[in-house]
Amino acid sequence: AAEALNIAAYGVGDEYRAHCDGRCGGSVLVPGERVATSIVYCEVAARGGHTTFTSEQLKVVPQQGDMLVFGYLEDGRFSREVEHSACPVVEG
């Protein structure tokens, strides 16, 4: 069964600290667990609010309407590399 849709709206100062949407850290997949995330950026902040991936030191600076999709599995195990955060919105 599909899980419920999650919707988040961020105002100035809001953030989402580093986390994994599924499990991370090498555990084996159990059928039915979440294996991917998609983020649709309906609106974007004028400054801040980007998505960062902790272990890769990768920063995604989206444009309005962009979609970011990433999976969690590497060789049938959950990867720690998908830990990510939504950085604080600085403006707009």
Side-chain angles (χ1 to χ4, degrees), residues 29-79:
L29 172 69
V30 174
E33 288 184 293
R34 183 189 292 185
V35 296
T37 289
S38 62
I39 301 171
V40 177
Y41 300 91
C42 299
E43 293 184 20
V44 295
R47 289 186 337 164
H50 47 270
T51 301
T52 59
F53 288 85
T54 310
S55 66
E56 299 296 312
Q57 296 190 0
L58 171 67
K59 176 171 70 173
V60 176
V61 181
Q63 300 294 313
Q64 184 172 337
D66 283 353
M67 175 185 265
L68 173 64
V69 179
F70 54 95
Y72 316 145
L73 296 179
E74 189 173 306
D75 298 323
R77 296 185 171 276
F78 285 92
S79 172

Side-chain angles (χ1 to χ4, degrees), residues 12-25:
V12 173
D14 290 344
E15 66 181 306
Y16 203 127
R17 300 205 177 196
H19 65 283
C20 292
D21 293 335
R23 289 192 288 139
C24 44

